[in-house]
Amino acid sequence: MDAFQPLMPLLDKLRRRSTFSAEESDALLAIPHRASAIQPGAYLFRDGDVPQGYGVLLAGSLYRQKFARDGSRQILAVHLAGDLLGLDQGTLAAHDYSLQSLSRADVAFISHQAMLDLVVAFPNIAQALWRETIVDASIGREWFVNIARLSARGRVAHLICELATRQDAAMLDDSTIDWPLTQEQLGDATGLTPVHVNRTLQAMRATGLISSQRHALTILDWAALRDAGDFNPAYLHLPIAIAAR
Amino acid sequence: MDAFQPLMPLLDKLRRRSTFSAEESDALLAIPHRASAIQPGAYLFRDGDVPQGYGVLLAGSLYRQKFARDGSRQILAVHLAGDLLGLDQGTLAAHDYSLQSLSRADVAFISHQAMLDLVVAFPNIAQALWRETIVDASIGREWFVNIARLSARGRVAHLICELATRQDAAMLDDSTIDWPLTQEQLGDATGLTPVHVNRTLQAMRATGLISSQRHALTILDWAALRDAGDFNPAYLHLPIAIAAR
DNA sequence: CGGCCCGTTGAGAAGCATCAAATGATGTGG
DNA sequence: CCACATCATTTGATGCTTCTCAACGGGCCG
């Protein structure tokens, strides 16, 4: 079925915050696109490139990043399946961040024109895309405050809470989530060195907050983790049913 | 003349990144609005409030902020005259940050409906507003990287460079800019304590980068300041003519 | 089986926070 | 116009969080 409806992850994600008529749903699933498999570590675009179109992440995970002059990397956001890509870059003259794959991923590429045709024909879809972009920016602001205001333990705890909440339905069981990040990448996302990330994770395991395997992470004490990370899911702008946990 | 064209600061700002027909310019200046004087320190809206409409900052300066649970404040952005307000919050159920005035300010309030009417009638204006929102998000990402990756000196230097570049035309002379922030606010914007901001500024004065008066700041060595703050104005997405300095 | 990335551990240093208090500016009311 | 309250800036001493540098062990993949 998914083979015939490759854009279903997009529709699923949009439905969390918007509702569509049957006609609109059909139009979303029928967006002209070119699906492509992305190798781990490949760039979809780089800081400074000219935007060539939009995308939808069908499977896998990607991250946005910028580099400082000293070569250090800051991860700005993690994209999960269903996320729209590059919408926040519009048709500007140049991208202001890079988009790289974290794992093997499937991406559907959509031309600027195809997207424009869609939103002109369906204002309600335009509104839904606009809403997703706003939420995206909201998540960025939340990350900002975390890095600026929380301790190492708080930053790591917050990111764990966010990814758990965003994966939600896709969770393996009630408390174990996919964990796509290495400790080095977690450091690049939280503004910490890998060494300190390691020590922070050890402390969190020692105090019974989490346990972690290779590519998975188990939340042992959600209340304590949420508390440590000062996590309040309001910034995700999810329906109450999903946000409550 | 400004008395008859109160929204002129908006048009001036939009023209830096977009071009408009005479008809479009007229439509922009004719947006139905209610102008209002804002007292220093007053809130235009608070985190969690329901968005009531949009705004244009006609004069003065505002800042966006979020609070961490421990009460510490993070300033997310500084708004200068001509900036659009709350566009990035759309018609979501709740604001995810607070908007407070830094000085006495004049703001034109615009209803959601009036803005919707405008962008439906003039797609080119919709595009221009979309572009401003994108740039806004781009500035947010740049701040993020600064706070996460630069030293105290670098963060302060970068913010000075940005405000100088954004004020640009409004600069008093070639190197002196309006400086609306106290040292405490500068700390809230850069993720530093006021004490450390003070010491950082002293070091920058001692090394001949800047000199500062009460509400003004003079850049003595632009090259060194740009270097210290790793400042590259690309993220402002300004026309080359303005970005080059 | 070997190389390589990832995770782990240790010791020492640096940058920034914290706490406390003094000095200097600004605006207000008598 | 001066006295005073308030806010912003400055200074000093101390400590903690996190970084840096260096090395070692373990699991995964070719």
Side-chain angles (χ1 to χ4, degrees), chain B residues 6-86:
Chain B
L7 295 183
M8 190 55 86
L10 171 64
L11 184 56
D12 286 341
K13 178 142 285 189
L14 291 179
R15 276 183 171 146
R16 301 196 314 181
R17 300 193 184 92
S18 308
T19 56
F20 302 102
S21 68
E23 193 190 7
E24 288 162 350
S25 299
D26 290 347
L28 271 167
L29 293 175
I31 305 175
H33 65 274
R34 178 173 53 80
S36 179
I38 308 292
Q39 293 307 308
Y43 280 87
L44 279 87
F45 57 75
R46 287 171 197 267
D47 196 344
D49 286 354
V50 178
Q52 299 295 330
Y54 304 115
V56 175
L57 180 58
L58 302 175
S61 43
L62 311 177
Y63 49 82
R64 297 182 187 171
Q65 58 189 12
K66 283 177 81 120
F67 291 90
R69 191 184 31 185
D70 67 0
S72 68
R73 168 177 69 173
Q74 180 60 45
I75 294 179
L76 301 164
V78 174
H79 283 298
L80 304 177
D83 280 1
L84 284 150
L85 309 174

Side-chain angles (χ1 to χ4, degrees), chain A residues 222-240:
Chain A
W222 174 260
L225 195 66
R226 183 190 56 203
D227 215 47
D230 196 6
F231 181 74
N232 177 339
Y235 72 95
L236 293 172
H237 298 283
L238 289 166
I240 311 260

Side-chain angles (χ1 to χ4, degrees), chain A:
Chain A
M1 167 128 162
D2 263 16
F4 299 102
Q5 302 290 9
L7 295 183
M8 190 56 85
L10 171 63
L11 183 56
D12 284 342
K13 179 143 284 189
L14 292 179
R15 276 184 171 145
R16 301 195 314 180
R17 301 192 183 91
S18 308
T19 56
F20 301 103
S21 68
E23 193 190 7
E24 287 163 349
S25 299
D26 290 347
L28 270 166
L29 292 175
I31 305 175
H33 65 273
R34 178 174 53 81
S36 179
I38 308 292
Q39 291 309 307
Y43 279 88
L44 279 87
F45 56 75
R46 286 169 197 267
D47 196 344
D49 286 354
V50 178
Q52 299 296 328
Y54 304 115
V56 176
L57 180 58
L58 302 175
S61 44
L62 310 176
Y63 49 80
R64 297 183 188 171
Q65 58 188 12
K66 285 176 79 117
F67 291 90
R69 192 184 29 186
D70 67 0
S72 68
R73 168 177 70 171
Q74 180 60 46
I75 294 179
L76 301 164
V78 173
H79 284 297
L80 304 177
D83 280 2
L84 284 150
L85 309 174
L87 213 61
D88 63 341
Q89 298 285 283
T91 54
L92 287 178
H95 284 294
D96 59 67
Y97 62 81
S98 303
L99 187 62
Q100 192 178 13
S101 71
L102 199 49
S103 59
R104 187 172 307 266
D106 293 317
V107 172
F109 293 98
I110 299 171
S111 72
H112 286 142
Q113 188 60 47
M115 194 65 100
L116 186 59
D117 291 346
L118 182 74
V119 299
V120 166
F122 298 96
N124 186 44
I125 291 180
Q127 188 116 16
L129 298 181
W130 174 241
R131 197 171 291 130
E132 294 299 311
T133 308
I134 288 173
V135 170
D136 225 62
S138 176
I139 294 175
R141 284 188 286 271
E142 184 77 10
W143 281 44
F144 187 165
V145 174
N146 293 336
I147 292 215
R149 296 291 156 191
L150 299 189
S151 66
R153 184 188 182 86
R155 297 182 207 177
V156 171
H158 191 283
L159 185 52
I160 293 171
C161 288
E162 177 180 317
L163 289 184
T165 303
R166 285 173 59 199
Q167 287 190 17
D168 194 55
M171 280 172 63
L172 304 181
D173 65 46
D174 202 38
S175 57
T176 299
I177 60 173
D178 260 4
W179 191 256
L181 300 168
T182 65
Q183 291 184 2
E184 181 172 8
Q185 291 161 341
L186 180 53
D188 285 345
T190 52
L192 301 168
T193 57
V195 171
H196 202 63
V197 166
N198 182 281
R199 292 182 171 131
T200 304
L201 286 174
Q202 284 182 53
M204 291 172 73
R205 287 192 290 245
T207 50
L209 293 192
I210 58 168
S211 72
S212 56
Q213 300 80 52
R214 190 111 191 103
H215 287 115
L217 188 147
T218 303
I219 297 173
L220 300 175
D221 187 343
W222 174 260
L225 195 66
R226 183 190 56 203
D227 215 47
D230 196 6
F231 181 74
N232 177 339
Y235 72 95
L236 293 172
H237 298 283
L238 289 166
I240 311 260
I242 294 182
R245 199 195 154 83

Side-chain angles (χ1 to χ4, degrees), chain B residues 72-179:
Chain B
S72 68
R73 168 177 69 173
Q74 180 60 45
I75 294 179
L76 301 164
V78 174
H79 283 298
L80 304 177
D83 280 1
L84 284 150
L85 309 174
L87 213 60
D88 63 341
Q89 298 284 283
T91 54
L92 285 180
H95 285 295
D96 60 68
Y97 61 82
S98 302
L99 187 62
Q100 191 178 16
S101 72
L102 201 48
S103 60
R104 185 171 309 265
D106 294 317
V107 172
F109 293 98
I110 299 172
S111 71
H112 286 143
Q113 189 60 49
M115 195 64 100
L116 185 60
D117 292 345
L118 182 76
V119 299
V120 166
F122 298 96
N124 186 44
I125 291 180
Q127 187 116 19
L129 298 181
W130 175 240
R131 195 171 291 129
E132 294 299 311
T133 307
I134 288 173
V135 171
D136 225 63
S138 176
I139 294 175
R141 284 188 285 270
E142 185 77 10
W143 281 43
F144 187 164
V145 175
N146 293 336
I147 292 215
R149 297 289 156 192
L150 298 188
S151 66
R153 185 188 182 88
R155 298 182 207 177
V156 171
H158 191 281
L159 185 52
I160 293 172
C161 288
E162 176 181 316
L163 288 184
T165 303
R166 284 173 59 199
Q167 287 189 18
D168 194 56
M171 281 174 61
L172 304 180
D173 65 45
D174 201 40
S175 58
T176 299
I177 60 172
D178 261 3
W179 190 254

